[in-house]
């Protein structure tokens, strides 16, 4: 059973899995929260439906470097990998 991390973490189980794999606290929290609120998909759907500007803003928020030179498909791929 996953530890309750309070209101800061929306998906405690995923957060703990990512932390066990060595992911930083900040990145694990971002991924767990994005998955919980539906902004992170696993292969085809919500990210593909967003505009390039929306994807760029998300990439900026999560700190993806080189985003200004990426097209929409590259932004989707980078966000999924992050």
């Amino acid at each position: 059973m996953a530890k309750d991390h309070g209101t800061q973490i929306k998906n405690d189980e995923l957060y703990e899995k990512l932390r066990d794999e060595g992911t930083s606290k900040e990145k694990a929290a971002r991924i767990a929260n994005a998955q919980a609120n539906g902004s992170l998909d696993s292969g085809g759907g919500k990210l593909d439906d967003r505009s390039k500007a929306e994807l760029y803003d998300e990439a900026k928020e999560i700190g993806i470097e080189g985003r200004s030179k990426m097209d929409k498909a590259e932004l989707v791929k980078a966000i999924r990998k992050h």
Side-chain angles (χ1 to χ4, degrees), residues 7 11 16 20 36 45 61 73 77-78:
T7 59
N11 184 332
E16 286 187 19
D20 289 344
E61 184 178 321
K77 185 176 178 180

Side-chain angles (χ1 to χ4, degrees), residues 17-44:
K17 177 182 177 275
L18 293 166
R19 290 292 294 139
D20 289 344
E21 293 172 357
T23 305
S24 72
K25 289 180 181 180
E26 181 182 347
K27 184 173 180 179
R30 280 196 315 261
I31 293 169
N33 291 341
Q35 188 277 332
N37 72 24
S39 66
L40 182 70
D41 70 353
S42 60

Side-chain angles (χ1 to χ4, degrees), residues 18 27 31 40-41 47 62 64 70 74-82:
L18 293 166
K27 184 173 180 179
I31 293 169
L40 182 70
D41 70 353
L47 289 176
I62 60 178
I64 294 174
M70 294 180 185
E74 291 169 323
L75 286 166
V76 168
K77 185 176 178 180
I79 291 168
R80 285 185 179 141
K81 284 178 71 176
H82 194 271

Side-chain angles (χ1 to χ4, degrees), residues 43-62:
K46 295 184 182 203
L47 289 176
D48 293 321
D49 293 340
R50 295 184 189 176
S51 70
K52 182 180 177 186
E54 291 170 324
L55 294 167
Y56 177 86
D57 290 343
E58 183 163 345
K60 182 178 180 181
E61 184 178 321
I62 60 178

Side-chain angles (χ1 to χ4, degrees), residues 2-16:
K3 178 181 173 187
D4 183 3
H5 296 280
T7 59
Q8 304 290 354
I9 306 298
K10 307 300 182 206
N11 184 332
D12 294 308
E13 188 174 319
L14 179 57
Y15 175 82
E16 286 187 19

